[in-house]
Amino acid sequence: MPSDTVIVEKGDITFDDSSLADIMTSISNNYNINVEFNNKEQKAIRLHFKYNTSDSLEDVVKALNMFEKIKVRHNNEKLEVE
């Protein structure tokens, strides 16, 4: 399967070696929330990540924060990536 492939199955969205920018765009679209990167270099970080569209935004943020390379905060009406 090529990199940057997004697989959608029963509400699951899977990213295989995708950029953090692509992942955050998907989350932004699914949860209708803005995303702000404090460091533009983080947009290029490549990750394998999976979430379900029925998960709460808080659960998705918790899952993202399990990665050592990034920190995501939910502040008011936006997600901040540090």
Side-chain angles (χ1 to χ4, degrees):
M1 179 178 308
S3 64
D4 286 331
T5 299
V6 177
I7 302 166
V8 179
E9 182 178 305
K10 296 183 183 177
D12 286 335
I13 299 179
T14 303
F15 295 91
D16 183 28
D17 193 36
S18 297
S19 71
L20 184 56
D22 289 344
I23 294 168
M24 296 308 293
T25 297
S26 172
I27 292 168
S28 173
N29 292 338
N30 279 299
Y31 293 93
N32 196 28
I33 191 164
N34 293 323
V35 174
E36 180 179 292
F37 284 85
N38 292 335
N39 178 348
K40 293 184 180 184
E41 293 174 2
Q42 290 177 314
K43 291 181 177 185
I45 292 173
R46 314 272 322 160
L47 300 171
H48 298 276
F49 185 69
K50 179 179 179 178
Y51 74 97
N52 190 292
T53 56
S54 66
D55 292 341
S56 71
L57 179 57
E58 289 73 25
D59 286 343
V60 174
V61 169
K62 284 180 188 176
L64 284 168
N65 284 331
M66 296 186 79
F67 292 101
E68 293 180 13
K69 297 179 180 180
I70 60 171
K71 175 71 176 166
V72 179
R73 294 177 193 248
H74 183 194
N75 294 327
N76 298 322
E77 298 177 8
K78 67 180 175 181
L79 294 177
E80 291 182 28
V81 182
E82 301 175 353

